[in-house]
Amino acid sequence: MLKTTEFGTIPYSCLFRPVTDQSSGSVDPSYAVASALYRLAEPEDMRVKFDRDTCVGMFQCVAEWDAFEKDLNDGKADLRGSEEEDEGVFVVDVPDGEEFDAKFAARVCPVDAIEVYDDDGEQVV
């Protein structure tokens, strides 16, 4: 699958996961370039909505974005610095430069408990 950006067409696989050469362990340089270009094209003023009640505690989001942390007592993730919008639903503005990580955290959530919205209020993930 390909993503067309103002920088040209980039394979999605290059945007989200580094491709390593198993024999040398080196990272494919196209990942670094594609990832950097994708980050440049990110919209400003993004917001994350996290439904903690839906969370099943796989903690994949924790590995992808530092704003999420493990709550081992409850077996769920917590969204650091967030405010409770509704019961069990937390929101936080995404700091500049962390848009890619926030979107990736939403993409890896196995139960879609994380949503990302752009500055127009449109859901992007």
Side-chain angles (χ1 to χ4, degrees), residues 54-109:
T54 301
C55 178
V56 294
M58 296 294 293
F59 303 121
Q60 292 174 343
C61 58
V62 174
E64 301 303 336
W65 188 29
D66 293 338
F68 283 100
E69 57 190 7
K70 293 180 182 181
D71 180 345
L72 297 177
N73 292 327
D74 291 342
K76 295 181 179 280
D78 283 330
L79 183 55
R80 191 175 318 120
S82 63
E83 295 182 12
E84 193 166 12
E85 182 180 73
D86 291 318
E87 186 175 339
V89 178
F90 297 85
V91 295
V92 69
D93 291 330
V94 178
D96 289 340
E98 295 183 21
E99 295 89 351
F100 182 80
D101 297 331
K103 288 172 76 172
F104 203 75
R107 285 188 177 96
V108 299
C109 179

Side-chain angles (χ1 to χ4, degrees), residues 32-67:
V33 172
S35 179
L37 293 175
Y38 189 74
R39 288 173 195 247
L40 287 174
E42 290 295 309
E44 297 178 15
D45 300 326
M46 296 180 79
R47 180 173 63 90
V48 168
K49 183 184 283 190
F50 172 56
D51 186 344
R52 193 168 188 272
D53 293 335
T54 301
C55 178
V56 294
M58 296 294 293
F59 303 121
Q60 292 174 343
C61 58
V62 174
E64 301 303 336
W65 188 29
D66 293 338

